[in-house]
Amino acid sequence: MTGAPQVVRTVADLRAVLAPRRAGGVGLVPTMGALHEGHLSLIRAARAEQGTVVVSIFVNPTQFGEAADLAAYPRTEERDTELAAGAGADVVFAPTVAEVYPDGFATTVSVAGPLTETLEGAVRGRAHFDGVATVVAKLLLAAAPDAAYFGAKDAQQVVVVRRLVADLGIPTRVVVIPTSRDADGLARSSRNARLSSAERALAAAVPRSLRAAQDALAGGETDAAALVAAGRAVLADAGLAPEYLSLVDPGTLEPVTRVDGPVLLAVAVRLGATRLIDNVVLGTERTPS
Ligand code: AMP
């Protein structure tokens, strides 16, 4: 399909649009809108692999802990539709809250254990990943895609989604796309637009902290506490204290004490009213710059 993407608002319409197109493969890119280059890299990856690319735009209220964060979340659907089309989307699925959560809605998909209790789960509370898991399950059931595309920036989300797809037997391949970054290394995020210029300058310390740990590892340090200390020092220089800066197993998200294989270094920092998260897999990835 070329030209403007088709915008559909109901699951019934989405299924009707996709029904004749299944044979060519369907890719789904779930988003909350306010699209930026990171989202577009997911859409392009889907475009390269699938006959039909669906981008969902839904600001999911159940995954927001703070009402103010939900209220302030940018909503730019018209611009998003144009950007999605430019990156190769055929269909934009933009349902209302009532379409996703009709009256009487009473089901929660909950991934239990350390996968959802650590890192973001510890800071944002268990309702956050319940909200994510439930809406992702609903989107995968609605679109029934051959593959769904997620960003490595939300590393814990990827682990949780892989778990729920495996546990529920959902026949969708989960594809993970590397984090897209600004020139100074900051991971692109819809929330970055809310940073003041002073905060935006400080934010570059977040990827720098990951890089400091990478550099320490490259210098021969394998002790997790020492690697975390190297990252914390960079944040402290910028006057920042992380909500967490943790070295964990990339599959189980359990803490590690020594690096002797791929480990996930994940960080969350609050800068004024904005939370920033980032991560790198030590031992495998290029430095975030
Ligand atoms: P969001 O709209 O923030 O829910 O993000 C939708 C999808 O885009 C998720 O799979 C995110 O991980 C992914 N994403 C967000 N930011 C980036 C980025 N900077 N690079 C790559 N993927 C991203």
Side-chain angles (χ1 to χ4, degrees):
M1 211 188 271
T2 54
Q6 201 165 346
V7 179
V8 296
R9 305 212 176 263
T10 67
V11 173
D13 284 351
L14 178 63
R15 290 188 178 141
V17 167
L18 294 179
R21 309 173 65 92
R22 295 248 166 237
V26 171
L28 173 68
V29 181
T31 83
M32 298 203 299
L35 300 187
H36 53 68
E37 184 56 34
H39 299 111
L40 301 184
S41 65
L42 271 58
I43 298 170
R44 287 189 204 104
R47 172 77 285 152
E49 291 184 357
Q50 308 293 341
T52 301
V53 175
V54 181
V55 175
S56 63
I57 298 177
F58 181 62
V59 182
N60 177 34
T62 67
Q63 72 189 70
F64 283 80
E66 298 167 32
D69 189 29
L70 173 61
Y73 204 85
R75 288 164 172 85
T76 55
E77 187 186 303
E78 212 169 303
R79 181 172 171 277
D80 289 346
T81 301
E82 280 170 28
L83 287 172
D90 303 297
V91 180
V92 169
F93 176 49
T96 61
V97 172
E99 174 71 8
V100 178
Y101 302 112
D103 275 354
F105 190 87
T107 300
T108 298
V109 178
S110 189
V111 175
L115 294 190
T116 54
E117 286 165 0
T118 58
L119 307 175
E120 288 298 285
V123 177
R124 302 180 70 167
R126 76 156 316 113
H128 170 65
F129 281 115
D130 283 357
V132 170
T134 303
V135 82
V136 169
K138 289 208 63 156
L139 290 169
L140 294 178
L141 285 167
D146 296 283
Y149 299 77
F150 294 89
K153 191 193 119 206
D154 296 278
Q156 189 172 12
Q157 173 171 281
V158 167
V159 177
V160 170
V161 168
R162 283 196 192 284
R163 186 77 255 163
L164 88 88
V165 163
D167 288 355
L168 298 181
I170 296 175
T172 294
R173 188 163 53 90
V174 174
V175 181
V176 182
I177 304 299
T179 300
S180 163
R181 298 177 180 281
D182 285 347
D184 63 0
L186 181 65
R188 295 195 165 97
S189 165
S190 306
R191 289 186 173 88
N192 292 357
R194 279 153 53 185
L195 296 170
S196 69
S197 55
E199 288 167 346
R200 176 62 190 80
L202 287 177
V206 175
R208 270 208 313 277
S209 72
L210 301 179
R211 187 187 202 133
Q214 285 183 309
D215 290 347
L217 180 68
E221 182 61 73
T222 58
D223 178 62
L227 294 167
V228 165
R232 275 187 173 269
V234 170
L235 293 173
D237 272 352
L240 301 175
E243 290 181 333
Y244 60 78
L245 176 64
S246 305
L247 268 175
V248 298
D249 181 282
T252 66
L253 304 185
E254 306 270 17
V256 300
T257 54
R258 186 157 295 282
V259 178
D260 52 12
V263 293
L264 178 69
L265 178 62
V267 63
V269 173
R270 185 177 274 277
L271 250 175
T274 309
R275 286 187 77 241
L276 302 176
I277 62 170
D278 201 350
N279 69 83
V280 67
V281 180
L282 292 185
T284 61
E285 257 178 76
R286 66 176 179 81
T287 53
S289 64

